Amino acid sequence: MKAKLGEETDDLQRALSNQRTRQALGDWIAENEWDILASITFRTIADYEYAKKRFKTFFRYRLNTQEEIYFENDIFCFVIYEQVKPYVGIHIHALIKGIHPLKSEALQKRCCSFFGNSKVEPYRKNDNGRWYLANKFGRSLVEFDTCLISRFSY
């Protein structure tokens, strides 16, 4: 499920304001076994296309040689792209499955180096999907996306 800038973003915001839709998405998030919660702010102003490309590039290519980071061969992400303020650009929140939670500090260092200000922490199961949606979808949502990134795809 994706939304594009403009009218489709407004449609997505209206759909997510529907309590049943938010509950279903929250349930889906809660049913998955997430390992990591990451929040990323870019060093420079980033638009949506740039943010999406950099996020996928980082996980697909930059971490590919970092054996100690990966927990499984593939990682699965639920990513929220939000417009924080016009002078900040896009900010990313991501739930990640496939990277060991004990490696969150090492991943945070790499994220800070690659993106800019980043916070990476183990996902807390008690903060279920509804909590995540309430805290992350309340802002200026641009798009949300899912992605499966194979460790060995180039």
Side-chain angles (χ1 to χ4, degrees):
M1 178 182 264
K2 291 185 177 183
K4 299 292 180 204
L5 298 174
E7 291 181 20
E8 293 177 13
T9 299
D10 294 337
D11 292 342
L12 179 61
Q13 290 287 6
R14 279 191 292 281
L16 290 172
S17 67
N18 177 307
Q19 185 173 351
R20 286 178 31 187
T21 303
R22 288 176 70 96
Q23 182 174 352
L25 189 53
D27 289 345
W28 176 81
I29 290 171
E31 288 169 6
N32 281 281
E33 296 292 325
W34 303 103
D35 299 314
I36 299 286
L37 171 61
S39 297
I40 297 166
T41 303
F42 289 88
R43 206 173 269 112
T44 58
I45 295 175
D47 64 15
Y48 165 71
E49 292 298 328
Y50 176 83
K52 186 174 182 177
K53 181 179 179 181
R54 292 288 285 178
F55 181 81
K56 289 183 178 181
T57 297
F58 177 74
F59 284 101
R60 185 168 286 133
Y61 302 110
R62 300 292 181 162
L63 285 183
N64 217 17
T65 59
Q66 307 297 327
E67 295 292 328
E68 74 278 6
I69 295 289
Y70 278 87
F71 184 63
E72 298 173 359
N73 286 335
D74 299 322
I75 60 172
F76 179 73
C77 305
F78 176 77
V79 188
I80 295 173
Y81 300 91
E82 68 172 324
Q83 180 74 46
V84 182
K85 297 176 184 170
Y87 57 86
V88 175
I90 298 295
H91 179 77
I92 294 175
H93 298 283
L95 290 171
I96 303 168
K97 181 193 289 192
I99 296 177
H100 198 287
L102 294 177
K103 300 299 181 179
S104 61
E105 280 187 39
L107 180 59
Q108 179 169 317
K109 287 178 186 175
R110 287 184 178 84
C111 284
C112 287
S113 174
F114 188 76
F115 297 109
N117 187 25
S118 301
K119 182 178 181 183
V120 178
E121 59 189 341
Y123 177 74
R124 297 180 303 271
K125 185 69 173 168
N126 292 341
D127 295 341
N128 66 32
R130 286 188 197 90
W131 172 89
Y132 184 76
L133 282 178
N135 283 279
K136 305 306 177 197
F137 275 100
R139 300 187 181 114
S140 299
L141 176 69
V142 173
E143 180 172 334
F144 69 95
D145 195 5
T146 59
C147 56
L148 176 65
I149 300 170
S150 176
R151 180 176 182 190
F152 301 105
S153 67
Y154 291 95

